Amino acid sequence: VQLQASGGGLVQAGGSLRLSCVTSGLTFRNYVMGWFRQAPGKQRELVAAITSGGSTMYADSMKGRCTISRDNAKNTVYLQMISLKPEDTATYYCAAAATLGLLTRWESNYRGQGTQVTVSS
């Protein structure tokens, strides 16, 4: 199983970014997909998740400022982020799991290398 995240970068506060994660080696449409983030010295956080049926959930810290979506034909999950703040600076990881419960457990999900998001003030 491989997950390849991309789309990170340096953006000014108030800006936006769209992260993408292309997967292979799994039946994408059957998996719950999510985005985690981790900043140095901070706890890892599940930012957003989307079930195989398209239901979504968001961390309070990002609610209203991000949208997770998936394209089953492209085996890809996206995270559109707007109104970015310096505190959003982190490495963002996409993850996949058979259930939402498993997704929330870092040691139980599939994930790839992260993509760095840096928001300057």
Side-chain angles (χ1 to χ4, degrees), residues 15 20-21 28 32 40 55 60 68 72 87-88 90 92 110 117-118:
S20 300
C21 176
F28 179 81
V32 179
S55 297
D60 287 343
I68 189 170
N72 290 339
E87 51 263 45
D88 296 320
Y92 285 71
Y110 295 114
V117 172
T118 302

Side-chain angles (χ1 to χ4, degrees), residues 68-88:
I68 189 170
S69 60
R70 64 191 298 158
D71 185 335
N72 290 339
K74 295 182 179 180
N75 295 338
T76 301
V77 61
Y78 304 96
L79 186 69
Q80 176 71 51
M81 301 185 290
I82 64 171
S83 302
L84 284 163
K85 304 175 182 179
E87 51 263 45
D88 296 320

Side-chain angles (χ1 to χ4, degrees), residues 10-26:
L10 174 63
V11 64
Q12 288 188 331
S16 61
L17 281 175
R18 188 195 196 203
L19 308 183
S20 300
C21 176
V22 180
T23 71
S24 61
L26 53 79

Side-chain angles (χ1 to χ4, degrees), residues 1-77:
V1 175
Q2 291 189 329
L3 294 85
Q4 182 64 51
S6 62
L10 174 63
V11 64
Q12 288 188 331
S16 61
L17 281 175
R18 188 195 196 203
L19 308 183
S20 300
C21 176
V22 180
T23 71
S24 61
L26 53 79
T27 307
F28 179 81
R29 64 181 182 275
N30 292 340
Y31 277 76
V32 179
M33 301 299 300
W35 289 92
F36 288 83
R37 68 182 180 185
Q38 186 157 27
K42 294 187 178 180
Q43 194 170 7
R44 186 183 306 119
E45 178 182 32
L46 176 60
V47 174
I50 183 166
T51 67
S52 57
S55 297
T56 57
M57 60 81 68
Y58 298 97
D60 287 343
S61 60
M62 289 295 287
K63 203 167 288 184
R65 298 192 296 118
C66 74
T67 303
I68 189 170
S69 60
R70 64 191 298 158
D71 185 335
N72 290 339
K74 295 182 179 180
N75 295 338
T76 301
V77 61

